[in-house]
């Protein structure tokens, strides 16, 4: 298989923030996640993408130690996930805030539970966002509630922040605000982020690392710029498509009538001059893989250094 | 200072869009030696993009010798991008005129020619990037 190497570009040392090996989770007889080996290098903003029910939430909950795996293991900055609680923060999809609490009470609650809590930063952040501290959480808008959940998570000063569908059910303006807040936090602290989403288009420019999960298995994992640069979209006459497809690793194929389109894992110009090539977007690439569950683009298994 | 824009659906990697916009500004003289580029934080506040992407773009520009990072101070323009000489331009244009005439005689339409040029350009620059 034409495998993709993990890139050398990274920030903040060579360690992986998150590493899973042979991870599996079985509910009764069904595997929600199986044989899942992924690595997210420190300092990255990683997207976990896949259809609903693909195992994204299971993977995230295993990563932060909320679930105990049936098989395999999780390491966070080189240590077992269960010993790394203080270095991680998790925002679940339903943004578990106490709706009867005032925002200031959420902060007091967080301060009591977390020894690394940064109360000043949390208050500053909420003031900048114009969220009143005396407002009850239940009376905030969806975007504001997400911002409070994000503020509480960031106040724990995590090295790894894990977010389950943080942008789901937010309006476009709130999405932009939340994304900006998250990216600002990355710029300030250099923390590693892993966020899940089923809307790929909104991850362009936001994430730099991609993990695609499909049917309980990892399908794609790697640096987004590297991955997209190594794929292209070829368009040409349909009658020559089979011949071309036999020579190139085709991920997906579409077309109508005399024209065919191939999304290939290859960056060389097409060998046949009747075919034209253009770059793929992140969304085109992800959709192509999701439509072809048997295709995969994974880095070679790397031996992780022992610390 | 340069203000970056983003075309999210273009298929051009975000860091590359930033690199291209700096090069473009250097060619036009909008950016000149000594000018400071916005910090990753400033770009993030403006565009809501990943700061790693900004840093990657600046590393690429630094590798090309166009900018230089001064720790604690920022990233500064090192040199401008001169235009190609008038002689080169005139020669290339003449060759292209000749090529277009050839193509039309062979029966290619305006769109055929445009598609052909676009495809050659794409291939050529993709090889360079890869």
């Amino acid at each position: 298989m034409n495998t993709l190497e993990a890139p050398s570009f990274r920030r903040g040392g060579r360690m992986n923030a998150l590493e899973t090996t042979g991870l599996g989770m079985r509910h009764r007889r069904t595997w929600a996640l199986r044989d899942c080996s992924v690595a997210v290098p420190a300092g990255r903003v990683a997207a976990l993408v896949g259809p609903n029910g693909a195992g994204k939430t299971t993977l995230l909950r295993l990563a932060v130690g909320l679930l105990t795996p049936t098989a395999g293991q999780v390491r966070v900055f080189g240590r077992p996930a269960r010993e790394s609680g203080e270095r991680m923060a998790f925002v679940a999809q339903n943004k578990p805030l106490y709706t009867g609490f005032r925002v200031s009470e959420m902060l007091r609650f967080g301060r009591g539970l977390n020894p690394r809590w940064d109360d000043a930063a949390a208050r500053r952040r909420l003031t900048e966002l114009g969220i009143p501290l005396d407002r009850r959480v239940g009376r905030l808008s969806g975007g504001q509630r997400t911002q409070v959940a994000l503020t509480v998570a960031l106040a724990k000063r995590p090295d790894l922040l894990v977010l389950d569908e943080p942008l789901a059910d937010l309006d476009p303006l709130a999405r932009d605000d939340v994304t900006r807040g998250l990216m600002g936090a990355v710029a300030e602290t250099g923390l590693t982020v892993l966020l899940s989403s089923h809307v790929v288009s909104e991850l362009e420019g936001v994430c730099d690392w991609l993990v695609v999960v499909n049917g309980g298995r990892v399908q794609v994992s790697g640096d987004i710029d590297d991955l997209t640069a190594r794929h292209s979209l070829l368009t040409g006459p349909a009658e020559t498509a089979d011949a071309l497809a036999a020579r190139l690793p085709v991920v997906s194929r579409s077309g109508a009538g005399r024209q065919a389109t191939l999304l290939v894992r290859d960056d060389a110009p097409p060998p046949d001059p009747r075919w034209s090539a253009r770059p793929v977007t992140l969304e085109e690439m992800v959709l192509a893989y999701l439509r072809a569950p048997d295709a995969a683009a994974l880095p070679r298994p790397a031996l992780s250094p022992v610390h | 200072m340069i203000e970056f824009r983003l075309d999210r659906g273009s298929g051009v990697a975000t860091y590359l869009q930033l690199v291209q916009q700096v090069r473009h500004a250097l060619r036009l003289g909008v950016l000149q030696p000594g000018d400071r580029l916005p910090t990753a934080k400033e770009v993030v506040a403006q565009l809501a993009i990943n700061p790693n992407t900004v840093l990657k773009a600046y590393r690429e520009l630094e590798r090309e010798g166009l900018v230089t990072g001064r720790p604690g101070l920022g990233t500064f323009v090192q040199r401008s991008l001169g235009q190609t000489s008038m002689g080169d331009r005139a020669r290339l244009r003449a060759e292209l005129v000749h090529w277009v005439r050839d193509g039309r005689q062979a029966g290619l339409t305006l769109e055929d020619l445009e598609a052909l040029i676009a495809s050659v350009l794409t291939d050529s620059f993709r090889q360079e990037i890869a």
Side-chain angles (χ1 to χ4, degrees):
Chain A
M1 192 170 66
N2 184 8
T3 51
L4 299 168
E5 297 255 30
S8 55
F9 156 66
R10 63 187 52 160
R11 184 165 92 176
R14 310 199 135 260
M15 189 181 270
N16 285 326
L18 176 71
E19 203 174 289
T20 72
T21 37
L23 197 63
M25 187 73 204
R26 195 179 53 203
H27 301 301
R28 297 173 190 277
R29 284 201 188 145
T30 328
W31 288 89
L33 196 71
R34 196 160 198 182
D35 195 22
C36 165
S37 297
V38 290
V40 178
R44 293 294 192 143
V45 181
L48 176 62
V49 173
N52 291 333
K56 298 194 295 282
T57 298
T58 305
L59 177 52
L60 294 184
R61 291 188 164 267
L62 286 167
V64 295
L66 285 174
L67 287 175
T68 308
T70 317
Q73 57 164 334
V74 181
R75 294 185 89 78
V76 175
F77 295 101
R79 303 185 58 79
R82 261 170 287 120
E83 296 171 20
S84 310
E86 275 188 16
R87 300 190 71 178
M88 288 187 281
F90 178 56
V91 180
Q93 189 171 1
N94 47 4
K95 285 138 208 163
L97 299 168
Y98 300 94
T99 49
F101 272 34
R102 296 181 195 280
V103 175
S104 56
E105 289 167 334
M106 285 301 307
L107 296 187
R108 201 180 316 144
F109 192 58
R111 190 169 59 215
L113 286 176
N114 298 282
R116 286 172 27 138
W117 187 264
D118 187 346
D119 207 56
R123 284 169 186 275
R124 193 169 56 239
R125 194 163 187 281
L126 292 170
T127 308
E128 280 168 13
L129 291 164
I131 296 174
L133 292 175
D134 58 355
R135 186 74 50 90
R136 288 196 195 278
V137 169
R139 291 193 52 222
L140 296 173
S141 70
Q144 286 177 323
R145 219 174 292 175
T146 305
Q147 291 286 21
V148 171
L150 186 57
T151 303
V152 169
L154 289 171
K156 296 174 185 169
R157 287 194 279 180
D159 297 311
L160 171 63
L161 175 60
V162 179
L163 308 131
D164 195 358
E165 297 278 358
L167 303 175
D169 50 73
L170 293 185
D171 65 58
L173 196 60
R175 275 180 199 195
D176 190 63
D177 288 344
V178 170
T179 308
R180 198 179 301 270
L182 186 60
M183 294 298 104
V186 174
E188 250 167 62
T189 65
L191 88 166
T192 310
V193 176
L194 173 61
L195 63 92
S196 69
S197 177
H198 61 274
V199 187
V200 186
S201 54
E202 64 194 16
L203 303 175
E204 200 115 30
V206 173
C207 297
D208 53 33
W209 192 266
L210 176 70
V211 177
V212 177
V213 185
N214 199 1
R217 287 174 189 271
V218 178
Q219 212 183 349
V220 180
S221 170
D223 177 87
I224 289 179
D225 289 342
D226 280 1
L227 285 167
T228 49
R230 280 166 170 69
H231 290 74
S232 40
L233 208 55
L234 307 181
T235 310
E239 74 268 16
T240 57
D242 285 335
L244 193 67
R247 298 167 65 180
L248 296 170
V250 176
V251 179
S252 79
R253 191 171 167 164
S254 61
R258 295 192 189 87
Q259 179 171 283
T261 300
L262 305 176
L263 196 146
V264 297
R265 192 169 57 250
D266 194 88
D267 56 355
D272 182 336
R274 287 170 294 178
W275 286 73
S276 64
R278 71 165 182 80
V280 293
T281 64
L282 173 62
E283 189 172 17
E284 286 166 338
M285 185 181 72
V286 169
L287 290 178
Y289 276 99
L290 293 181
R291 288 206 180 96
D294 294 333
L298 299 166
R300 266 179 220 122
L303 292 172
S304 63
V306 178
H307 299 279
Chain B
M1 194 183 290
I2 185 169
E3 193 166 286
F4 292 113
R5 301 169 312 279
L6 215 58
D7 184 354
R8 285 183 200 265
S10 65
V12 180
T14 307
Y15 87 95
L16 217 50
Q17 292 190 36
L18 303 184
V19 167
Q20 286 165 356
Q21 284 169 35
V22 169
R23 285 205 208 107
H24 189 68
L26 289 172
R27 261 185 216 107
L28 294 177
V30 175
L31 276 178
Q32 291 181 354
D35 285 354
R36 186 174 72 82
L37 295 182
T39 63
K41 228 172 131 178
E42 286 164 345
V43 179
V44 169
Q46 192 211 333
L47 290 180
I49 60 166
N50 187 329
N52 296 339
T53 307
V54 184
L55 298 176
K56 186 174 178 182
Y58 287 5
R59 269 198 300 277
E60 173 62 24
L61 290 163
E62 200 163 359
R63 204 184 56 78
E64 292 174 14
L66 296 175
V67 306
T68 177
R70 293 186 209 143
L73 293 172
T75 305
F76 295 85
V77 175
Q78 184 76 3
R79 64 177 177 86
S80 60
L81 270 178
Q83 297 196 335
T84 44
S85 80
M86 295 307 278
D88 278 346
R89 291 197 152 223
R91 179 178 55 79
L92 287 166
R93 190 174 200 289
E95 282 173 21
L96 199 55
V97 166
H98 181 75
W99 179 84
V100 168
R101 199 182 300 133
D102 249 18
R104 291 187 69 180
Q105 272 167 12
L108 274 71
T109 65
L110 173 65
E111 284 182 5
D112 292 335
L113 294 168
E114 280 175 351
L116 210 48
I117 291 175
S119 131
V120 170
L121 284 176
T122 307
D123 291 349
S124 164
F125 284 98
R126 275 180 74 83
Q127 279 170 322
E128 198 174 285
I129 293 159

